[in-house]
Amino acid sequence: MPQKPGSPPPVEDSLALKRANELLSDETSKTEEELEALKARYEMYLLGIEKREPARERTEMKRKVERLKDTFTKNTGLRFRLQTLHARFLSYERLWLRSVREKEAGTYRRDLFKARLRSREAPDRGAAEPEEVGLPPPEAPSARGPARQAMAPPAPPATFSGTSEPQLRALYMAYVDAKRRCKEDVSRLSYESLSKSVQKQVPELMARFKARSVDFRVEVKDGKAVLKAIPRV
């Protein structure tokens, strides 16, 4: 039976539309997480932790983001999310391609990449004084002694944002790499212990400093690699 003009759509159509929007929202959320994971992969590559550029993954992500952007939806909030996701990917892609070109040309600087990335993500945030993070279990003293540790080449500083698994793994790998550069024992250091400690301290630091988020920085202090938390207020 034909529908009368001006009458509401059938219940079946409304339910189908709602379900379609839910599926699109779920796919958008998943893609947002995958984009952050890809960002962490590029950070590890540009910091020298990973040896292979995730170029194929970037191409697949571009195809997925563009397909989502072109998906039709009448939901205003969902449309805004798709446009924001597309704009964020384009911003990241420009940064990645430029940094890779500089890396290949020998003019790439790690700290410049981090500064560029941070300026895109949160240009108005301030940072409280960094606090050293306690990481169980305690490290066994190095057999090489303090004098050799002080002479070890310093590990490059690296800053990471977020507490998702890819970001925590990038932080862990940078921390382990810094300790090895300082000739420290890493046999008792595990990803699980670092992840548990970081995720426990983030809400405590956010409450203490009234911070929006907490970044983590790997640096060398007195010949030893340390992990510092930087509340972003």
Side-chain angles (χ1 to χ4, degrees):
M1 182 175 180
Q3 185 180 342
K4 294 181 180 180
S7 61
V11 175
E12 293 81 2
D13 291 350
S14 298
L15 291 175
L17 182 60
K18 181 179 179 182
R19 179 58 179 162
N21 283 336
E22 288 175 350
L23 291 174
L24 183 57
S25 178
D26 290 343
E27 187 174 3
T28 303
S29 297
K30 182 180 178 182
T31 304
E32 288 169 341
E33 293 175 1
E34 290 174 352
L35 178 57
E36 291 306 305
L38 180 59
K39 185 184 77 170
R41 290 279 305 278
Y42 261 97
E43 287 177 358
M44 289 190 287
Y45 170 70
L46 291 166
L47 289 169
I49 299 170
E50 281 201 1
K51 302 302 180 185
R52 183 183 70 84
E53 179 194 355
R56 181 176 59 82
E57 292 84 349
R58 187 192 73 240
T59 301
E60 292 175 355
M61 177 61 63
K62 183 173 186 176
R63 189 181 301 117
K64 182 180 295 187
V65 169
E66 289 180 344
R67 179 179 60 79
L68 284 172
K69 181 182 71 72
D70 294 336
T71 302
F72 175 76
T73 177
K74 292 183 178 180
N75 187 300
T76 305
L78 193 49
R79 247 191 348 259
F80 177 76
R81 280 183 66 193
L82 294 173
Q83 293 168 356
T84 301
L85 174 63
H86 183 251
R88 188 190 315 162
F89 172 79
L90 292 179
S91 177
Y92 286 171
E93 185 182 43
R94 285 193 293 268
L95 175 61
W96 295 335
L97 293 176
R98 179 168 58 178
S99 298
V100 168
R101 285 196 300 268
E102 291 174 355
K103 184 180 177 73
E104 292 173 349
T107 59
Y108 169 73
R109 291 173 53 194
R110 302 167 194 249
D111 55 343
L112 186 57
F113 169 75
K114 298 304 296 182
R116 287 173 182 165
L117 185 60
R118 195 163 310 288
S119 69
R120 282 164 169 74
E121 291 181 331
D124 60 338
R125 291 189 296 178
E129 285 297 316
E131 289 214 346
E132 194 164 324
V133 178
L135 296 173
E139 299 287 321
S142 172
R144 298 180 181 271
R148 286 294 297 274
Q149 288 179 349
M151 296 172 60
T159 306
F160 298 85
S161 303
T163 55
S164 66
E165 182 175 354
Q167 292 160 334
L168 284 172
R169 288 198 178 276
L171 177 65
Y172 169 72
M173 293 172 71
Y175 186 51
V176 169
D177 181 65
K179 280 191 167 294
R180 285 175 175 158
R181 288 172 181 267
C182 294
K183 311 301 181 185
E184 295 183 73
D185 178 30
V186 296
S187 61
R188 299 178 63 192
L189 178 64
S190 68
Y191 166 74
E192 288 73 18
S193 65
L194 181 143
S195 175
K196 183 178 179 180
S197 179
V198 165
Q199 295 191 63
K200 176 184 177 183
Q201 294 183 54
V202 163
E204 297 173 357
L205 290 167
M206 289 179 68
R208 190 196 314 170
F209 291 96
K210 294 181 173 58
R212 298 182 184 180
S213 62
V214 180
D215 292 349
F216 295 91
R217 185 168 71 211
V218 179
E219 59 182 52
V220 174
K221 179 181 178 182
D222 299 327
K224 292 185 178 181
V226 295
L227 183 62
K228 290 192 174 182
I230 310 169
R232 297 284 170 183
V233 297

